[in-house]
Amino acid sequence: MPPDQPHPPAAARDAKASHDGWNTLRRFLPYLWPHDNHALRWRIVLSSLLVLASMGVTLALPYALKWAIDAMSVKGPAAFQLALALVLAYGAGRFGAVVFDNLRNIVFERVGQDATRQLAENVFARLHQLSLRFHLARRTGEVTKTIERGTKSIDVMLYFMLFNVVPTVLQLGVVAVIFYFNFGWGLVMATALAVVAYIWATRTITEWRTKLREEMNTLDGQALSRAVDSLLNFETVKYFNAEPREEARYAQATRAYAAAAVKSENSLGLLNIAQALVVNLLMAGAMAYTVWGWYKGQYTIGQLVFVQTYLTQLFRPLDMLGMVYRTIRQGLIDMAAMFTLMDTPVEVRDAPGAPALVINRPTLAFDNVVFGYDPDRTILKGLSFEVPAGHQVAIVGPSGAGKSTIARLMFRFYDPWEGRILIDGQDIRTVTQASLRQAVGIVPQDSVLFNETIGYNIAYGRDGATQDEVLRAARGAALMGLIARLPQGFDTEVGERGLKLSGGEKQRVAIARTLVKNPPILLLDEATSALDSRTEQDILATLHSVAEGRTSLSIAHRLSTIADADMILVLNEGRLAEQGTHAQLLRRDGLYAEMWHRQAEAVEDAGVTAAE
């Protein structure tokens, strides 16, 4: 029976992924306090001390200003000298606070960048661990957007939590004590009530804005996904004159995003108005209270400036707190989506303590393999065959027979539902995937190249390949004629997915890449499908010489390319229908013979048409 198949998480495609703030924070804390990096911990401690120093200086400034104003209300040289000294101290204190803040940023910068780097590397590594099923179902633009938002969020979260949230809470406590000793409980309670009202208004409106923001993220990712998908399929768009359709689809997504962005920005205006109302009501009330106390002879003129300065200093970070709350709230959403992406189950895992694959004789066997991509559609139905070491075996069959599925199973992109795949008698599920894939080389039907040079793509076959090995592989793949015609030779850029090269040229680069890898087992999936007849014969001769002494499994559609194989396996509807040499299968007059005669007739008809 087919196992339950994991699917890509909705969060990888949907910014509305549900999240738990505390769980996300727990995942986030190791990046805030890295257990294996004491130097970064010391930077965080020093940054925190600089925060306290800046806060202490800032809280002392209103006293200097109050005393200076009170001194100015008294005539005489002593009062003048005291007021002058306090004003100079006030200026020095403001400068000192700026110095402490910037030193804090300098010290902390490496912490934020290192946390962002580590998180980005972890996510990138995780994506490469996920199964082929995930990557076939993914939307590249939205996944990359999720990673971009999540990794950027951690630096912002670190900064605001350390340098805004915690200092603001401490400052609220200190200001409450100062107000109590200078003005009594009345102003303390009024300030506390205003702070509570401010936080409530900020949280209520921000929760509403968060839903709008999530909708924006979804539509933004959708627009990006459509743009990336359309550009990646540039040639297909041109084939079908579909530029207007693609423009309409993209315009639909961008218009929806623009409408959501307008709502979000308008809601921000409402939030700013609500915050300003609370702040200015408290400011006006506190200053009126101080003026009334001055009128009654209880307070000095300096205390008016004293209370105004403290409230201004207090609500400056509180004013930032609204933005901080929104940023942290959005950061939690972005990080939750990214962590959900990281938590996607790995469908194909190495067995605990799995050893490396050891090959003495590169034999390959499928033992009663049953597999399908979906539970309700079985592709391979008890397939069994064996490829002896050093033999060249071909697999043929009608479309949908399961030929390409064999290649994916050999590389463990998927595991069979039932049965085993053996290399040199070892079940490939019991060995490490890295050692398995190191032992198998493939030339796929659709060769996709990196947006790099020809030399880079050839050398990609094996880490550390030398220039001589790249040169030999290029000769073996009949690439030297092309390279000689190119002004930059091996340094020629191939473009995204190799689109600057023809189909045959891309295929030859892929063949050269596999020759550099030099594996004991070769898998040729329509390896010459994109080549002209003359180049195909050159490549086939090269592949035959390379396959000597190795196991070679060729998946072919054109039967003429595998007619000299040691053994031909004929698949039909996921089962082994026939096997034998080319001559034996023709004499049997079965499915293979029928396919051979049809292809021969097609070639003959094409030749007659060309002659006419």
Side-chain angles (χ1 to χ4, degrees), residues 348-356 412 415 428-433:
V348 179
R349 293 180 176 272
D350 286 341
R412 279 201 75 193
D415 281 333
I428 63 174
R429 283 179 296 194
T430 65
V431 300
T432 62
Q433 296 175 64

Side-chain angles (χ1 to χ4, degrees), residues 148-404:
E148 179 187 359
R149 291 194 191 111
T151 52
K152 285 183 177 179
S153 293
I154 192 167
D155 190 20
V156 177
M157 295 272 286
L158 284 169
Y159 183 87
F160 282 132
M161 288 186 67
L162 279 177
F163 305 142
N164 191 285
V165 175
V166 174
T168 299
V169 172
L170 291 175
Q171 188 169 335
L172 280 170
V174 174
V175 170
V177 173
I178 293 172
F179 277 5
Y180 171 73
F181 282 108
N182 285 271
F183 304 101
W185 280 111
L187 190 54
V188 172
M189 296 304 295
T191 303
L193 181 63
V195 168
V196 171
Y198 185 95
I199 293 174
W200 176 85
T202 299
R203 185 178 185 279
T204 302
I205 299 177
T206 301
E207 288 293 335
W208 170 52
R209 294 195 71 241
T210 296
K211 296 177 182 178
L212 298 177
R213 182 73 181 187
E214 289 173 347
E215 182 183 358
M216 277 180 59
N217 283 352
T218 301
L219 294 172
D220 186 26
Q222 185 182 78
L224 181 64
S225 176
R226 288 183 179 179
V228 170
D229 194 37
S230 181
L231 293 175
L232 287 177
N233 292 280
F234 175 81
E235 293 181 23
T236 304
V237 174
K238 293 294 183 183
Y239 292 152
F240 296 95
N241 292 329
E243 294 93 338
R245 274 181 282 163
E246 292 299 316
E247 291 168 9
R249 290 181 74 241
Y250 183 68
Q252 179 187 17
T254 55
R255 286 181 189 130
Y257 171 78
V262 168
K263 287 187 200 175
S264 180
E265 290 304 312
N266 290 345
S267 66
L268 176 59
L270 180 61
L271 176 59
N272 290 335
I273 292 172
Q275 290 172 338
L277 177 64
V278 173
V279 171
N280 287 285
L281 281 176
L282 175 64
M283 185 75 74
M287 293 178 69
Y289 174 76
T290 307
V291 170
W292 179 77
W294 167 77
Y295 173 74
K296 303 256 309 182
Q298 297 174 355
Y299 304 136
T300 66
I301 298 175
Q303 283 179 301
L304 176 66
V305 178
F306 181 76
V307 72
Q308 189 273 340
T309 305
Y310 264 121
L311 288 177
T312 299
Q313 290 182 177
L314 177 64
F315 276 97
R316 185 178 298 119
L318 275 179
D319 187 47
M320 288 284 292
L321 189 62
M323 186 269 288
V324 169
Y325 179 78
R326 295 192 301 271
T327 302
I328 290 179
R329 187 76 168 79
Q330 184 59 43
L332 288 174
I333 292 171
D334 293 339
M335 291 176 65
M338 185 189 59
F339 284 138
T340 303
L341 182 66
M342 292 178 67
D343 292 338
T344 303
V346 177
E347 182 178 347
V348 179
R349 293 180 176 272
D350 286 341
L357 177 66
V358 178
I359 298 182
N360 296 313
R361 290 178 53 79
T363 60
L364 170 67
F366 273 56
D367 180 15
N368 196 32
V369 172
V370 178
F371 175 75
Y373 298 105
D374 298 305
D376 56 352
R377 184 186 174 207
T378 304
I379 303 296
L380 301 182
K381 306 169 183 177
L383 180 63
S384 296
F385 65 85
E386 184 173 354
V387 182
H391 281 58
Q392 299 180 32
V393 175
I395 298 178
V396 300
S399 296
K403 302 186 296 296
S404 296

Side-chain angles (χ1 to χ4, degrees), residues 491-503:
D491 294 328
T492 302
E493 298 279 344
V494 302
E496 188 171 9
R497 297 186 301 140
L499 291 178
K500 291 184 179 180
L501 302 181
S502 69

Side-chain angles (χ1 to χ4, degrees), residues 467-494:
Q467 186 62 37
D468 288 342
E469 290 171 329
V470 170
L471 190 61
R472 284 198 298 271
R475 288 198 185 100
L479 265 174
M480 293 309 297
L482 167 67
I483 292 172
R485 294 193 303 270
L486 297 172
Q488 294 179 307
F490 282 99
D491 294 328
T492 302
E493 298 279 344
V494 302

Side-chain angles (χ1 to χ4, degrees), residues 392-396 556-570 578-600:
Q392 299 180 32
V393 175
I395 298 178
V396 300
H557 174 71
R558 280 187 287 186
L559 304 185
S560 59
T561 63
I562 49 87
D564 58 348
D566 297 324
M567 177 70 66
I568 299 173
L569 310 175
V570 185
E578 301 171 357
Q579 62 179 332
T581 64
H582 173 71
Q584 292 170 343
L585 291 172
L586 287 180
R587 286 196 298 270
R588 188 172 298 174
D589 199 22
L591 178 59
Y592 180 84
E594 178 186 348
M595 293 169 60
W596 176 266
H597 292 312
R598 284 185 178 179
Q599 289 191 12

